[in-house]
Amino acid sequence: MIVDQDTITYKGMPLFQRATMSAPHNQQANMQDMACFFYIVQGKYEAVESHGSYRISEKEALLKRCGNYVSHYTNSENSEACEAVAIYFFPDILHEIYKNEVPSFLQKATQDVAPKKLVANELIEKYMSNLFVYFHNPELIDEELARLKLKEFILIL
């Protein structure tokens, strides 16, 4: 069960989402064709999809193409809940951000890409910490800043 949730939107679409779930928590998702970045603040996460099963723990992330998948959230030894941050990469927003300079990663892929597990480095950890300021104080972020925060994150990746 989702206990607490915050969302930062851009033009009505969620860009950044933070959720705390009581563990264990299972969820089935059918999201449009876009990329997602899932970062685990506390607890553990497993995504089961067509490419297989992927597990990440605290301070780890999964960069993947969204679609049909099942999520399993579990607690860790340090907590009874699971907290995660999701960053969504909508194609329309990416094309808007890069309208004058289309990077190669935005060009159509000819093959399906498997999810990639990432271990957070200092840049990602600081970025996530900064993002929490906006989750706790939504009046500090407007759509222009949200768009810039997404572009900053893409540059960090």
Side-chain angles (χ1 to χ4, degrees):
M1 174 169 86
I2 296 176
V3 177
D4 189 31
Q5 182 174 324
D6 299 300
T7 304
I8 297 170
T9 62
Y10 179 76
K11 294 186 176 181
M13 295 179 277
L15 280 188
F16 308 98
Q17 194 169 43
R18 182 206 61 81
T20 303
M21 286 86 42
S22 57
H25 176 71
N26 297 320
Q27 167 178 331
Q28 188 170 358
N30 182 3
M31 302 180 78
Q32 67 181 10
D33 192 21
M34 66 179 162
C36 308
F37 178 88
F38 293 102
Y39 176 81
I40 300 301
V41 178
Q42 65 182 13
K44 298 176 183 177
Y45 171 79
E46 179 181 13
V48 180
E49 58 161 54
S50 62
H51 287 285
S53 178
Y54 299 88
R55 295 179 184 165
I56 55 175
S57 299
E58 294 175 9
K59 296 188 179 182
E60 292 181 337
L62 188 63
L63 182 61
K64 65 189 267 339
R65 187 176 205 162
C66 292
N68 294 321
Y69 62 95
V70 176
S71 299
H72 304 286
Y73 297 92
T74 56
N75 60 327
S76 64
E77 303 78 40
N78 304 332
S79 67
E80 293 186 18
C82 183
E83 185 174 18
V85 173
I87 300 175
Y88 303 104
F89 303 100
F90 289 92
D92 292 345
I93 295 173
L94 294 177
H95 285 291
E96 181 182 323
I97 290 172
Y98 292 103
K99 63 184 166 195
N100 296 323
E101 49 180 294
V102 180
S104 60
F105 71 88
L106 282 179
Q107 297 170 3
K108 288 215 178 242
T110 57
Q111 59 183 344
D112 202 12
V113 179
K116 181 174 182 169
K117 180 179 175 178
L118 303 167
V119 177
N121 58 27
E122 187 175 357
L123 278 174
I124 292 175
E125 288 181 29
K126 294 289 185 190
Y127 181 88
M128 289 297 160
S129 175
N130 182 264
L131 203 54
F132 270 78
V133 171
Y134 300 112
F135 285 135
H136 297 306
N137 302 284
E139 71 279 0
L140 297 178
I141 192 164
D142 61 8
E143 286 194 340
E144 179 65 21
L145 184 54
R147 189 176 66 81
L148 288 172
K149 292 300 292 177
L150 181 63
K151 186 172 183 177
E152 175 190 2
F153 188 67
I154 291 167
L155 292 171
I156 288 171
L157 287 177

